[in-house]
Amino acid sequence: MSEYKTVFGGLNDFTPGGVDAIDDNPKNYVFSNVFDVASRSAPYERVAVGKNLEYVIEVLRAEGQSPWYACAHDEFALCMDGEVEIHLVKPDDADVLVDPDSEGAVVLDEVPDGRKMGRIVLRRGHQALLPGGAAYRFEAGAPAVILTQTIQGPATVERWAEICQSESRPAA
Amino acid sequence: MTEALQTHYKINPASNETGYKSYEAGSFKFTRDEYFVSIVWPKGAHTMAADGFMRAMMRTVAWGFFYGTLSYDPVFGTTNHYGIVDMFAGTYHPVFKENGRDHLEKFKAEDLLELFRDLVDDWTNEGYDPFAAPGEDDAGQPWGRKNGNNADAVTRIRVTANRMVGLPGDAEIRTDANGFPQNRMFADVSSDQPLVEAEPGFEDEVAAFNLYDYLSRSDVTWNPSVCSVVKESLFCPTSEEFILPVEHGNDRCEWFVQLSDEITWEVKDKNTGKPRSRIVMRAGDVACMPADIRHQGYSPKRSMLLVWENASPRIPDMIQSGEAPVVAVQF
């Protein structure tokens, strides 16, 4: 008997399932695929693939160097394919950089002044804390895929009609 | 339906024939024999195989009634109103309903949970693990007369990280050393750890862990555990194999991200059980369960599923009032 093979998929290796609507509207399920979305995104677009009131899950195609981001609250980054480096900085004046009451990630115009917090390298399946009040930047030598747990903010991109299944489609 | 809170709870002595205790909550009565569980209420009775009933009851207890409705099958189940719980028979079955055979009673959640904890302990025999998939070597068998118990299996604490698994003082990562070997179906999952270089003073904030390795070492199925928290947004990944033991009726939108392998979801109307959709989710797929459905998953190989919940206690009322949507996103 063969060993079990765990299928994780990837940017160049994904086979989406689908919604077979029996008596339903397939749009109700907001069905998409992380790798499909990343394959059609520009580097570091933060495309929402899940939304629950103010909270979102975003997909980022990591490729090259991202801008610096800052966020008032914790976020998390899960690497779903490839390898991603994260650089963290504690800004000298985080409250000026980002309103402490704001939600979601903010793109910074320049490298923030502050203390270097550290560096993390994620590979597939690794999840990192992006601590609230910190600034961070991603870097990937080859295309990779990040899933974030965060709150909708100015950097979040919504294009549901482009990424989601609209017609009933039994999985092949 | 009886609106008043039920206060009658009774645990009857073990049967001389089977060795199992029987239970009463309100006017519901529960007994089990070597193969089956019987549920009796004033206008009817219902029989379930002991394996399916025990797997469902185990989740009810472990999840503290979870969010919304847990239907053990098309007839029997519970609905969580967060402090108060409905226990029902036939309430969401059109034929029971049309013929007046349905019944629903309300209970204080903690009191009913206490009775159910005793039931799970008594009705779980030595070696049987209701959290395990039936194909696992250590799943054991639910059948037969009363034969010991398995307290270690049925009293597992559901992991609820405060911030993220692996942070100092938070939920621990799983390793061979602390008793969590990789599951047989995840033996090919890498256990490598992320590179973390924290500058002095930032050791508690510069942190990462291998989520897939963590899930590959889960010793339970269909038991979402909180692994990371953004205010009321909870990432609750879980390992799935065989069948979700309940049809979960949503009282809010619930999102799934299929991290590995494949799960098929049968989706039905929450109130009538009428089929609505069949959804196949493969690695990387994302889908939202609307707030007006019930769903049950089938995972032929052990898989990793990220369940994403908005834990706000306001949501059921917001949905009732129309303030929150039944479908998460309109496009």
Side-chain angles (χ1 to χ4, degrees):
Chain A
M1 191 177 291
S2 63
E3 300 290 316
Y4 292 105
K5 180 172 166 36
T6 301
V7 177
F8 287 110
L11 201 48
N12 299 309
D13 177 23
F14 61 91
T15 309
V19 178
D20 181 4
I22 298 163
D23 182 14
D24 213 342
N25 181 351
K27 289 183 174 180
N28 289 340
Y29 299 91
V30 202
F31 189 99
S32 67
N33 180 281
V34 167
F35 304 118
D36 180 42
V37 171
S39 73
R40 294 189 275 151
S41 295
Y44 299 108
E45 276 189 301
R46 302 180 69 125
V47 182
V49 294
K51 183 176 180 179
N52 205 332
L53 300 178
E54 68 269 41
Y55 300 103
V56 291
I57 299 176
E58 301 164 332
V59 166
L60 288 75
R61 175 191 179 95
E63 188 173 2
Q65 218 171 63
S66 78
W68 281 90
Y69 300 99
C71 189
H73 51 78
D74 282 352
E75 302 175 284
F76 295 92
L78 170 65
C79 178
M80 293 191 65
D81 190 26
E83 182 174 303
V84 180
E85 193 170 326
I86 304 172
H87 295 266
L88 291 156
V89 165
K90 192 73 167 180
D92 291 334
D93 198 343
D95 290 359
V96 172
L97 212 54
V98 179
D99 177 352
D101 295 326
S102 69
E103 295 183 327
V106 173
V107 177
L108 304 180
D109 293 331
E110 53 192 25
V111 181
D113 292 328
R115 283 178 66 195
K116 188 177 168 189
M117 295 176 73
R119 183 177 81 102
I120 298 170
V121 178
L122 304 179
R123 289 176 295 280
R124 187 175 68 190
H126 297 172
Q127 181 175 342
L129 166 66
L130 306 172
Y136 61 89
R137 189 192 72 197
F138 300 116
E139 195 171 329
V145 180
I146 302 169
L147 190 80
T148 67
Q149 176 187 11
T150 185
I151 301 178
Q152 184 166 8
T156 307
V157 174
E158 290 187 276
R159 49 166 182 258
W160 301 102
E162 289 177 40
I163 66 170
C164 293
Q165 182 185 335
S166 297
E167 304 294 328
S168 181
R169 182 184 68 211
Chain B
M1 180 170 78
T2 307
E3 286 290 349
L5 270 188
Q6 300 296 316
T7 55
H8 172 71
Y9 299 93
K10 190 176 179 192
I11 301 174
N12 296 307
S15 153
N16 286 334
E17 185 183 350
T18 64
Y20 294 111
K21 294 190 275 189
S22 62
Y23 294 84
E24 298 175 22
S27 55
F28 283 92
K29 294 185 170 76
F30 299 84
T31 57
R32 81 155 283 185
D33 56 34
E34 294 192 35
Y35 286 115
F36 302 110
V37 169
S38 293
I39 307 166
V40 177
W41 62 96
K43 292 182 283 187
H46 186 56
T47 303
M48 291 183 65
D51 59 342
F53 179 88
M54 291 305 294
R55 284 195 290 269
M57 181 59 81
M58 184 73 260
R59 272 68 180 186
T60 305
V61 169
W63 301 346
F65 299 107
F66 208 46
Y67 302 107
T69 297
L70 305 179
S71 292
Y72 287 34
D73 66 2
V75 176
F76 177 77
T78 61
T79 300
N80 195 357
H81 300 290
Y82 310 100
I84 304 296
V85 167
D86 296 343
M87 185 154 59
F88 61 80
T91 303
Y92 303 103
H93 190 296
V95 178
F96 276 76
K97 195 85 182 160
E98 283 162 22
N99 290 281
R101 300 293 295 274
D102 58 303
H103 191 72
L104 183 150
E105 294 179 3
K106 291 184 174 297
F107 298 86
K108 192 174 168 189
E110 192 47 49
D111 293 345
L112 186 58
L113 207 52
E114 191 178 328
L115 185 94
F116 283 173
R117 282 193 196 102
D118 195 285
L119 182 153
V120 166
D121 179 60
D122 188 67
W123 289 8
T124 301
N125 284 324
E126 185 178 356
Y128 176 57
D129 183 356
F131 270 123
E136 295 186 77
D137 290 341
D138 52 0
Q141 296 292 331
W143 321 117
R145 295 186 176 186
K146 175 68 178 166
N147 175 28
N149 57 23
N150 193 358
D152 288 346
V154 301
T155 57
R156 290 181 178 102
I157 305 294
R158 181 179 174 226
V159 175
T160 51
N162 292 313
R163 195 178 187 190
M164 186 181 80
V165 166
L167 284 169
D170 213 322
E172 287 186 0
I173 62 169
R174 298 175 178 135
T175 64
D176 287 341
N178 64 13
F180 291 96
Q182 282 192 312
N183 183 272
R184 74 208 189 286
M185 289 191 181
F186 286 142
D188 60 340
V189 174
S190 171
S191 292
D192 69 331
Q193 292 299 317
L195 174 69
V196 178
E197 295 175 347
E199 296 294 326
F202 294 110
E203 294 86 351
D204 291 355
E205 290 199 285
V206 179
F209 75 112
N210 186 338
L211 173 65
Y212 291 0
D213 178 55
Y214 180 83
L215 292 172
S216 76
R217 297 172 182 276
S218 171
D219 62 347
V220 293
T221 61
W222 308 101
N223 193 35
S225 302
V226 181
C227 283
S228 55
V229 180
V230 177
K231 299 185 181 180
E232 291 165 324
S233 162
L234 309 181
F235 265 15
C236 308
T238 164
S239 55
E240 319 292 49
E241 184 181 337
F242 193 52
I243 303 172
L244 174 60
V246 293
E247 289 185 347
H248 178 207
N250 294 72
D251 67 0
R252 64 193 68 205
C253 293
E254 179 183 38
W255 286 82
F256 295 149
V257 180
Q258 191 72 38
L259 298 177
S260 86
D261 304 292
E262 180 172 322
I263 295 177
T264 296
W265 295 97
E266 299 286 354
V267 181
K268 302 174 181 175
D269 181 84
K270 183 163 75 173
N271 293 320
T272 66
K274 191 174 134 188
R276 281 182 49 167
S277 284
R278 182 174 188 272
I279 302 174
V280 175
M281 293 190 69
R282 297 187 178 132
D285 285 344
V286 184
C288 180
M289 297 293 126
D292 60 351
I293 59 100
R294 59 173 99 165
H295 58 274
Q296 187 165 35
Y298 299 77
S299 185
K301 174 196 172 290
R302 204 173 186 94
S303 65
M304 298 182 188
L305 177 70
L306 172 55
V307 177
W308 178 43
E309 302 282 359
N310 183 337
S312 169
R314 299 175 294 115
I315 290 180
D317 287 341
M318 290 171 72
I319 287 174
Q320 289 287 325
S321 68
E323 196 182 340
V326 168
V327 174
V329 178
Q330 301 281 352
F331 62 93

